[in-house]
Amino acid sequence: MSDHTHDSGEEHIGHVLPLSLLVKVFGGLVLLTALTVFTGTMNLHGWDLPVAMVIATSKASLVCLFFMHLKYDKPFNGMIFLLSVLFVGLFLAFVGYDAGQYQDDIKAYTIEHIGGE
Amino acid sequence: MSTTANDHGHDPNRPKHLAHHFETLGQQFDSGKLGIWVFLLTEVLFFSALFVAYTMYRSNYPEVFQYASQFLDTKMGAINTVVLLLSSFTFAWAVRNAMLGEKRKLMLNLLVTLVCAGGFMGIKYVEYSHKFHDGTLWGGNASTIFKADPAEIPAEIKEVSEAWNNPEGKFSVAVRDLDPAFRQKVGVFFGVYFCLTGLHGIHVMLGMILIIWLMMRTKRGDFGPTNFNAIDFGALYWHLVDLIWIFLFPLLYLIT
């Protein structure tokens, strides 16, 4: 880090989060859990999954930014994590596209050989 | 860089926990952290295969997921979510304790995290044994019997299945009487359920071993304000396990 420190034990590493912030983040996560259980019992007319995913992503963001220190960390670490999310998206997109190509054949085969829809 | 940093093993000021191939503690910390984040990336991709399988089956057979999801206990899932969130909180607190050199609090927070992890696995065990008892398992074999409250069974399912009332007044559906194609797909839901929660459970158990190791090192007095890398990196792994459960819970338990 510093060229002037001879005793590397003196240098400051890491970022200490205030306890009050950790408590607030935990409280927020529990509230969001309660919210997702509540919305899960309602019929949102096809919006159930998007709403549940928005809440889950908010919870995940809280965990990443504060518990996992990404907000105070070197941006490169956050970039690695976002890259993983991007690759999952690519994975989903390719498999979804591929499955869409042969799904009708599977359904036809199922009806013919196993029966039913 | 200072010349003393290259004087391997002969610098009296050089901290014992600074590995010889690093110049400074900061460099050691940043390198380790980068390594852990790359590991977490591989973990996300590891789990993503099962999430993709989930997405494909759910998008093709939404009615199967809606039907089969009612056999999961939302209350147990919600309690487990809070238990895991609490363990993430105490681990994040433990990192703070380690950074500030609060050894006793660090030990206590690691212990609470371990107890929460054990509680999570305990609830998981109750859920699993319930499913084995009821036969809500993978593969959709003919001996499987699915029970459910009549009000919770969608109308389109009632049409394709034989139903009768058992002594408990519950509406029971013998899977052998279900439409064969439907039966096979219900088995797929539980296959996806057991794979996802099972792989996650293995990660929780590995995390418990990790926490025990960290507690042993804490007892030995390894950690302090300049040496908390193992605690910090262990916490990052634990938070990722929590993150995955945050998505698993609504995806498996909250399908309406």
Side-chain angles (χ1 to χ4, degrees), chain A residues 1-19 22-24 26 29-30 33 36-37 39-44 48-49 52-53 55-57 59-61 63-64 66-70 73-74 76-81 83-85 87-88 91-92 95-97 99-100 103 106-107 110 114-117, chain B residues 1-4 11 13-15 18 23-27 29-30 33-34 37-38 40-42 44-45 48-52 54-56 58 60-61 63 74 78 81-82 85-89 92-93 95-96 99-100 179-182 184-185 225-229 232 235-237 239-240 242-243 246-247 249-251 254-256:
Chain A
M1 287 286 170
S2 166
D3 286 2
H4 306 292
T5 16
H6 284 269
D7 181 4
S8 32
E10 289 296 312
E11 66 175 88
H12 180 74
I13 55 170
H15 179 272
V16 184
L17 284 181
L19 183 58
L22 293 176
V23 172
K24 275 181 207 155
F26 175 61
L29 287 168
V30 173
T33 305
T36 198
V37 171
T39 57
T41 57
M42 297 196 307
N43 183 6
L44 300 174
D48 305 69
L49 186 61
M53 284 300 96
I55 296 173
T57 309
K59 287 168 75 182
S61 307
V63 171
C64 285
F66 299 104
F67 283 177
M68 296 174 102
H69 292 247
L70 275 183
D73 214 347
K74 289 199 160 47
F76 192 71
N77 293 332
M79 197 190 81
I80 291 173
F81 186 66
L83 266 179
S84 76
V85 178
F87 279 113
V88 172
F91 189 9
L92 257 176
V95 175
Y97 176 72
Q103 198 54 42
I106 291 180
K107 280 192 173 151
T110 308
I114 307 177
E117 167 36 15
Chain B
M1 289 294 163
S2 67
T3 48
T4 50
D11 178 3
N13 290 323
R14 191 182 168 85
L18 176 56
E23 295 275 351
T24 64
L25 285 169
Q27 187 198 29
F29 179 71
D30 289 341
K33 200 154 193 172
L34 177 67
W37 274 107
V38 172
L40 295 188
L41 174 135
T42 67
V44 170
L45 294 177
S48 76
L50 287 169
F51 276 103
V52 168
Y54 171 94
T55 311
M56 289 307 120
R58 183 166 175 181
N60 281 322
Y61 310 109
E63 75 284 357
T74 306
T81 307
V82 175
L85 287 173
L86 179 65
S87 72
S88 253
F89 165 68
W93 192 356
V95 171
R96 181 189 145 85
M99 286 174 169
L100 296 175
D179 173 272
F182 191 81
Q184 202 178 44
K185 289 174 214 150
T226 62
N227 183 21
F228 52 82
N229 296 13
D232 198 50
L236 283 175
Y237 166 81
H239 295 317
L240 186 91
D242 188 24
L243 270 189
I246 284 175
F247 283 96
F249 171 59
L251 285 176
L254 298 176
I255 306 175
T256 45

Side-chain angles (χ1 to χ4, degrees), chain B residues 162-223:
Chain B
E162 269 312 308
W164 70 89
N165 284 306
N166 63 22
E168 293 117 48
K170 285 262 184 177
F171 181 91
S172 297
V173 180
V175 168
R176 61 176 174 275
D177 297 327
L178 280 176
D179 173 272
F182 191 81
R183 179 174 76 207
Q184 202 178 44
K185 289 174 214 150
V186 169
V188 167
F189 172 85
F190 285 104
V192 170
Y193 166 82
F194 277 104
C195 283
L196 270 169
T197 57
L199 185 63
H200 180 264
I202 289 170
H203 277 79
V204 172
M205 286 193 279
L206 287 175
M208 290 172 78
I209 295 170
L210 179 81
I211 295 166
I212 291 168
W213 174 66
L214 288 174
M215 286 172 81
M216 278 156 50
R217 287 192 62 186
T218 304
K219 191 159 177 266
R220 205 168 65 186
D222 276 8
F223 303 119

Side-chain angles (χ1 to χ4, degrees), chain A residues 103-114:
Chain A
Q103 198 54 42
D104 291 340
D105 296 338
I106 291 180
K107 280 192 173 151
Y109 179 90
T110 308
I111 291 166
E112 193 185 330
H113 293 272
I114 307 177

Side-chain angles (χ1 to χ4, degrees), chain B residues 56-119:
Chain B
M56 289 307 120
Y57 280 112
R58 183 166 175 181
S59 63
N60 281 322
Y61 310 109
E63 75 284 357
V64 175
F65 274 59
Q66 196 183 10
Y67 170 73
S69 168
Q70 65 184 320
F71 298 106
L72 304 185
D73 192 335
T74 306
K75 200 189 283 172
M76 293 247 196
I79 292 171
N80 251 355
T81 307
V82 175
V83 167
L84 215 50
L85 287 173
L86 179 65
S87 72
S88 253
F89 165 68
T90 51
F91 215 153
W93 192 356
V95 171
R96 181 189 145 85
N97 295 144
M99 286 174 169
L100 296 175
E102 303 167 331
K103 190 181 160 183
R104 260 202 60 211
K105 284 187 186 170
L106 168 63
M107 198 65 171
L108 202 66
N109 270 321
L110 286 176
L111 183 68
V112 175
T113 310
L114 184 66
V115 169
C116 285

